[in-house]
Amino acid sequence: MSGGEAAVLAEGLSKEYGGGRKRVRALDTLDLTVRRGEVFGYLGPNGAGKSTTIRMLLDLLRPTSGTVRVLGEEPRSGGPGLRRRVGYLAGDFVIEPRQTVGEALRFLAELRGGVPPMRIEGLAERLDLDLKRKVRQLSKGNRQKVGVVQAFMHRPELLILDEPTSGLDPLLQQEFLALVREAREDGRTVFMSSHIMSEVQAVADRVAVIREGRLLTVDTVDSLREHAVRHVAVRLDEGPEEVDAEAFARTPGVRDLEVRPAADAAGGSELRCTLDGRADGLVKALARYGVAALELEEPDLEEVFFTLYNHNGGRETGGVTGHGA
Ligand SMILES: Nc1ncnc2c1ncn2[C@@H]1O[C@H](COP(=O)(O)OP(=O)(O)OP(=O)(O)O)[C@@H](O)[C@H]1O
């Protein structure tokens, strides 16, 4: 095993479906490195190419061109040995409907070289999954839980999760995110795709954003947050006529400035603006005044993604939501 290598390495990875006039370029010369031990979010709207990428990592699809390595091996030649080191949750996870959940999981556990029954029971309990139910009786959310358990149960070095929280209710999404954090604490690597920023920002160290098969950006969540737009509201003791609005408007990062009399009759004024990036300039400009109250909204990374999706490359895309749709 080559511990120093990246968990996932893709170079010039491209995939085309179909031929002739029906040809679809689903992925276009993608370069990607997922480091060992990180939680890596893979974000993009529907149809961006996320599942296509993931299927190539698992050798369920072969690239049209380019190369990919997973845990230092080529998916194509890694065989069962490599598959045991990886936990995979497919976007369209399906299992044999006639078995009970427990039987299905025990069967999958055998394929992965064995898993202590307590481990399966513990995960099922955390996700509130009944092992005695027949698979065919399960709701979509419960089937997704089976998918989560089978991906995590053998403590794989690398977890590859395609839209893992789809169908899970909010409480279980939290439990799922706790599992992801625990995997990272154990030094394992998680690669998870999503079209929802909020769930990824809660756990990911870095995120890649793709659209129409191309990589738009790769960055740490912290850095994205630092560069994100925030809405600011400040209550000043001074009235609007005493506030130098122009000086504020010139402050680096400040946009959409408004200064108006405070809503109540107590005098003073209310300053509102949006802030791009760091807050230093604004804080220094405010220091000249009496600041009665200050609200600095947490940066909304969803806005960053809307901007990336909609302004990079010019064409509009849909399919991005801010909530667990
Ligand atoms: N088997 C296929 N044959 C033809 N085109 C395909 C096939 N699979 C995917 N595509 C197309 O390739 C593009 C990328 O699809 P992909 O499923 O990888 O996107 P995705 O980001 O995973 O989106 P979603 O979240 O909707 O699954 C889309 O335009 C899709 O229509």
Side-chain angles (χ1 to χ4, degrees):
M1 209 190 302
S2 40
E5 281 197 72
V8 174
L9 183 66
E11 285 177 323
L13 195 62
S14 298
K15 178 69 191 177
E16 285 174 6
Y17 291 108
R21 291 171 68 193
K22 287 203 181 140
R23 206 172 58 143
V24 178
R25 179 155 264 227
L27 208 62
D28 194 354
T29 54
L30 180 88
D31 293 324
L32 204 61
T33 305
V34 179
R35 300 175 194 136
R36 292 219 185 211
E38 74 178 335
V39 176
F40 192 93
Y42 195 47
L43 276 151
N46 294 329
K50 304 181 296 294
S51 300
T52 297
T53 311
I54 285 177
R55 291 198 184 114
M56 289 192 287
L57 301 182
L58 293 146
D59 195 40
L60 299 171
L61 268 183
R62 297 260 157 96
T64 306
S65 58
T67 58
V68 55
R69 291 179 82 79
V70 171
L71 298 171
E73 297 192 50
E74 277 179 38
R76 190 174 188 154
S77 52
L82 178 58
R83 280 201 290 279
R84 282 181 188 177
R85 297 167 66 198
V86 176
Y88 170 49
L89 174 56
D92 53 356
F93 175 71
V94 278
I95 38 167
E96 163 60 51
R98 282 167 298 186
Q99 295 174 305
T100 64
V101 172
E103 286 162 356
L105 287 170
R106 278 192 292 279
F107 171 73
L108 293 170
E110 287 303 313
L111 293 181
R112 314 229 161 103
V115 176
M118 291 244 312
R119 169 82 179 149
I120 297 179
E121 286 154 23
L123 284 168
E125 198 173 323
R126 284 181 69 175
L127 294 170
D128 196 19
L129 173 66
D130 183 354
L131 292 172
K132 296 194 194 74
R133 289 283 289 275
K134 282 268 197 299
V135 167
R136 94 151 62 79
Q137 299 166 341
L138 299 179
S139 63
K140 181 174 187 300
N142 277 310
R143 274 203 305 275
Q144 189 70 2
K145 292 181 202 174
V146 181
V148 172
V149 173
Q150 62 80 37
F152 280 80
M153 65 185 177
H154 54 307
R155 297 186 190 277
E157 283 165 66
L158 170 64
L159 284 138
I160 298 180
L161 311 170
D162 196 355
E163 304 266 355
T165 62
S166 70
L168 294 184
D169 69 41
L171 218 66
L172 289 164
Q173 286 186 18
Q174 290 309 314
E175 196 59 44
F176 164 80
L177 295 178
L179 287 173
V180 170
R181 290 192 191 99
E182 288 165 27
R184 178 183 38 206
E185 279 158 25
D186 279 2
R188 292 180 278 138
T189 309
V190 182
F191 180 90
M192 62 183 268
S193 79
S194 178
H195 62 283
I196 307 157
M197 181 60 202
S198 49
E199 67 178 22
V200 169
Q201 92 187 62
V203 282
D205 301 297
R206 291 195 303 149
V207 295
V209 182
I210 63 161
R211 204 197 68 174
E212 294 177 357
R214 285 170 174 271
L215 189 66
L216 298 182
T217 188
V218 183
D219 208 342
T220 63
V221 170
D222 287 344
S223 157
L224 285 172
R225 206 171 260 141
E226 193 170 299
H227 293 104
V229 170
R230 292 172 224 230
H231 299 278
V232 183
V234 192
R235 172 72 190 265
L236 298 173
D237 294 335
E238 293 79 359
E241 65 291 343
E242 295 169 79
V243 176
D244 184 352
E246 286 194 3
F248 277 111
R250 282 196 304 272
T251 304
V254 170
R255 288 194 286 118
D256 308 325
L257 182 84
E258 258 181 70
V259 181
R260 57 179 178 223
D264 55 44
S269 55
E270 197 175 88
L271 179 150
R272 289 182 177 272
C273 65
T274 55
L275 183 64
D276 266 338
R278 293 170 60 81
D280 315 14
L282 179 65
V283 169
K284 284 178 187 140
L286 284 169
R288 296 172 48 206
Y289 300 93
V291 178
L294 172 78
E295 276 175 51
L296 186 64
E297 224 178 50
E298 263 305 288
D300 184 356
L301 294 193
E302 212 71 51
E303 276 182 41
V304 177
F305 283 83
F306 268 118
T307 313
L308 276 168
Y309 290 154
N310 293 323
H311 298 297
N312 263 280
R315 273 179 288 164
E316 294 289 314
T317 53
V320 188
T321 56
H323 315 285

